[in-house]
Amino acid sequence: MTLKKAYILIFSILIIDQVSKIYVKTHFLLQEKIHVTGWFKLFFIENSGMAWGTEIPGDYGKLVLTLFRIIAVFGIGWWLYDSARRKASNYLIVAIALIWAGAFGNIIDSVFYGVFFSESTTTDLAVFMPDQPYGSVFHGKVVDMLYFPFIEDYVLPEWLPIWGGKEFTFFNAIFNFADMAISTGIGILLVFNKKSFAPPAGEGN
């Protein structure tokens, strides 16, 4: 895959990711849930930290996380450029492009959403470019909305130790298209590891 095609893939993912986030941010109340079809639901939450809401404690935790993401994106970008230049495997280039697009998509939220939007609450919709934004540069929250609970609110049998009688949800992660791109890229590297890291044609002869 050429670098040009990789950029087209990245740009397409970023468009889908940001359009979906902006739509949900401005049309859904915080924690609003809509059943789409089957196991698929839209459930609007905001993530101020890492996966599953993990946060770095302290006043500068969010800033450190955002700066780390930016540095990582530069590193991944160089990896993509170098891989394309060396004519590495298409598996590798596609995987890196997906990871880069996903990481950059979430960085946009972290860096800019705090100054582009008002606060989302359970009673008020967010407004784009308000007089009083909810945060500042580098202190935005990542928008998540994709929810696939295969089993939701199932009450476990009373006879089970510790968890008996409690509600159980299988696959309760809520994520976005950027997260999907990152997970798919990592999945390609894991499943097609040998093909991804095979020497470029002409090397090793």
Side-chain angles (χ1 to χ4, degrees), residues 6 10 16 26 43 59 69 76 84 94 96-97 100 104 122-123 155 172 178 200 202:
I10 291 169
I16 295 171
T26 55
F43 188 0
D59 295 337
R69 284 173 169 165
I76 297 169
V94 168
I96 299 173
W100 194 93
F104 193 79
T122 55
T123 56
V155 179
N172 61 354

Side-chain angles (χ1 to χ4, degrees), residues 33 39-47 50-54 143-153 168-177 179-180 183:
K33 185 190 301 184
W39 291 317
F40 177 35
K41 299 180 181 182
L42 293 177
F43 188 0
F44 172 37
I45 65 169
E46 291 184 305
N47 179 4
M50 297 176 284
W52 289 282
T54 304
V143 173
D144 293 323
M145 80 295 288
L146 303 178
Y147 186 42
F148 295 87
F150 300 116
I151 300 174
E152 187 176 24
D153 299 332
F168 170 76
T169 299
F170 177 71
F171 197 64
N172 61 354
I174 305 170
F175 50 97
N176 54 46
F177 285 99
D179 297 329
M180 285 182 61
S183 298

Side-chain angles (χ1 to χ4, degrees), residues 7-26:
Y7 286 154
I8 292 173
L9 175 60
I10 291 169
F11 182 75
S12 300
I13 292 171
L14 287 174
I15 290 296
I16 295 171
D17 179 62
Q18 288 301 308
V19 167
S20 63
K21 287 175 176 176
I22 293 172
Y23 179 83
V24 168
K25 177 74 174 169
T26 55

Side-chain angles (χ1 to χ4, degrees), residues 14-15 17-18 21-22 66 69-70 73 100-117 134 138-143 178:
L14 287 174
I15 290 296
D17 179 62
Q18 288 301 308
K21 287 175 176 176
I22 293 172
T66 302
R69 284 173 169 165
I70 293 173
V73 160
W100 194 93
F104 193 79
N106 284 335
I107 281 177
I108 293 174
D109 300 29
S110 297
V111 174
F112 298 112
Y113 275 27
V115 294
F116 283 173
F117 296 98
Y134 75 81
F138 297 112
H139 288 83
K141 299 175 184 177
V142 177
V143 173

Side-chain angles (χ1 to χ4, degrees), residues 156-165:
L156 295 169
E158 292 287 350
W159 52 263
L160 279 175
I162 303 176
W163 300 285

